[in-house]
Amino acid sequence: MIIEKILPDLYAKKICKAISSAYFPWYWSSENIVRTAPDGQLFQFIHSFLKNNQPISSRLDLVEPIIYYLKKRTDIKIKNFVRIKANLIPRIVQTEEWLENLIHQDMSGEGHFISLIYYIDDSDGETTIYQDDMKTAIEKITPTANKGTLIDSKTWHRSAVPFTHKRRMV
């Protein structure tokens, strides 16, 4: 399910400004990045806000409006959170136009979980949703500021590395 304009513009702009600020704490991560690239050439930065329903960031206030408006605009009943994190994939000089990250699930195993991919700003670096065979693409979603994509957390998906924009922030 795609939700356009999850937040009022004021909140969306506040989140984008804070997260894209030089003072926002991003941390290096090489997980879920293309395995075939030369070591260290493809990476992302992450910021974990919450893990196992426990805040681990002093900036949790930035994502609270997303949660509030998600509840308000859907019938989803949220019991708890396993993880809330932000990802930043920078544009990297590359020879292939669409380098894509690893196909992955956000959760596996028992239980029913839902993932929200919230696009902080406009970018290329589409999110591709796959059938269970992990080969057949069902949908490609272009990152557009203040848009969200709700998927079952066991859905296979991946992002692409931005080629024309300077970053992809979700």
Side-chain angles (χ1 to χ4, degrees):
M1 165 195 284
I2 295 176
I3 305 170
E4 301 288 344
K5 295 191 176 267
I6 290 181
L7 302 172
D9 287 341
L10 179 68
Y11 284 123
K13 288 176 183 174
K14 178 183 176 183
I15 291 169
C16 184
K17 183 178 179 181
I19 288 180
S20 60
S21 155
Y23 302 102
F24 188 77
W26 289 103
Y27 302 93
W28 173 275
S29 175
S30 60
E31 64 184 52
N32 289 340
I33 297 296
V34 180
R35 287 186 184 176
T36 58
D39 189 36
Q41 289 191 15
L42 292 176
F43 56 90
Q44 67 181 353
F45 294 98
I46 64 170
H47 181 92
S48 295
F49 294 96
L50 182 140
K51 187 171 183 180
N52 296 324
N53 229 26
Q54 298 297 313
I56 56 175
S57 169
S58 62
R59 298 310 319 261
L60 187 59
D61 63 301
L62 288 172
V63 296
E64 288 172 339
I66 301 170
I67 297 163
Y68 172 80
Y69 283 100
L70 177 65
K71 288 179 186 178
K72 191 173 179 176
R73 298 203 42 207
T74 68
D75 294 331
I76 295 172
K77 305 292 184 236
I78 299 173
K79 293 181 182 177
N80 60 43
F81 298 93
V82 174
R83 174 179 70 184
I84 300 176
K85 74 177 183 112
N87 295 335
L88 184 154
I89 302 174
R91 178 181 61 212
I92 298 167
V93 176
Q94 53 199 12
T95 56
E96 298 177 46
E97 185 170 337
W98 292 108
L99 288 175
E100 293 180 318
N101 294 331
L102 297 176
I103 298 173
H104 67 280
Q105 298 171 306
D106 291 337
M107 298 290 294
S108 61
E110 297 298 316
H112 180 71
F113 301 93
I114 295 173
S115 294
L116 170 68
I117 303 168
Y118 175 76
Y119 301 99
I120 297 168
D121 60 357
D122 293 341
S123 182
D124 51 328
E126 296 174 324
T127 300
T128 304
I129 309 294
Y130 291 90
Q131 289 183 355
D132 286 340
D133 65 6
M134 297 176 15
K135 294 178 183 165
T136 308
I138 298 171
E139 186 172 14
K140 289 191 177 208
I141 302 146
T142 300
T144 305
N146 200 18
K147 176 168 68 176
T149 301
L150 275 174
I151 59 173
D152 183 298
S153 296
K154 295 177 185 174
T155 300
W156 293 100
H157 64 284
R158 71 173 163 192
S159 62
V161 175
F163 187 71
T164 58
H165 288 77
K166 63 182 170 183
R167 65 183 177 235
R168 178 186 190 273
M169 291 192 307
V170 299

